[in-house]
Amino acid sequence: MQYFQAVKIGKERAGKSQMVLFNLGGFGMLTLTTKKKDGQFVPVGEEDLVAVIQTVDGYVTILVDAEGYTKAQSKALEKDAAMEIFSKARQSGIEEYSGDRVEIWTESYPTIHKSLKG
């Protein structure tokens, strides 16, 4: 697949995820549209899985594909607000991302939502 094709498809997929997150939390920012596999750019996956990460600015609820590539994110929030969006996503039928790390921009973050549940 050519790079521009991967970007076009990935932008459509990430844009849908952005709107889902916007509807859940009132804000959604598009993040990644492509990922690299075997030296080639491919679009992010179609699936939406929800996770929460902690950045230097606060807690961020994210929608990722099955490989943990972030397609959309909330703004940085307090822990309770991020978990509220996470809970709304789960209640709407979005599955929880089961991996331990996610990729967002050029960074990798551990998922923390599992440790926040109790």
Side-chain angles (χ1 to χ4, degrees), residues 67-105:
E67 294 179 329
Y69 286 87
T70 304
K71 303 185 314 179
Q73 72 174 63
S74 71
K75 57 188 172 183
L77 301 163
E78 296 293 324
K79 178 172 55 173
D80 291 343
M83 288 308 298
E84 183 178 333
I85 296 169
F86 175 86
S87 294
K88 285 180 183 178
R90 293 289 296 123
Q91 291 168 6
S92 76
I94 298 173
E95 292 188 33
E96 180 177 348
Y97 176 66
S98 62
D100 294 330
R101 297 193 75 77
V102 297
E103 302 294 325
I104 182 169
W105 305 113

Side-chain angles (χ1 to χ4, degrees), residues 20 26 30 43 45 54 60 71 77 101 103 114 116:
V20 168
L30 186 111
Q54 184 177 12
V60 179
K71 303 185 314 179
L77 301 163
R101 297 193 75 77
E103 302 294 325
K114 295 171 191 78
L116 293 175

Side-chain angles (χ1 to χ4, degrees), residues 32-58:
L32 300 177
T33 59
T34 61
K35 55 189 175 183
K36 221 170 186 184
K37 279 183 115 172
D38 301 322
Q40 300 290 319
F41 285 99
V42 296
V44 290
E46 290 185 66
E47 58 285 329
D48 277 333
L49 304 169
V50 66
V52 175
I53 59 172
Q54 184 177 12
T55 68
V56 294
D57 297 320

Side-chain angles (χ1 to χ4, degrees), residues 14-31 60-63 70-77 85 105:
K16 288 177 184 176
S17 300
Q18 178 186 17
M19 291 310 300
V20 168
L21 200 53
F22 180 83
N23 290 333
L24 292 169
F27 179 89
M29 184 172 80
L30 186 111
T31 54
V60 179
T61 307
I62 56 175
L63 294 178
T70 304
K71 303 185 314 179
Q73 72 174 63
S74 71
K75 57 188 172 183
L77 301 163
I85 296 169
W105 305 113

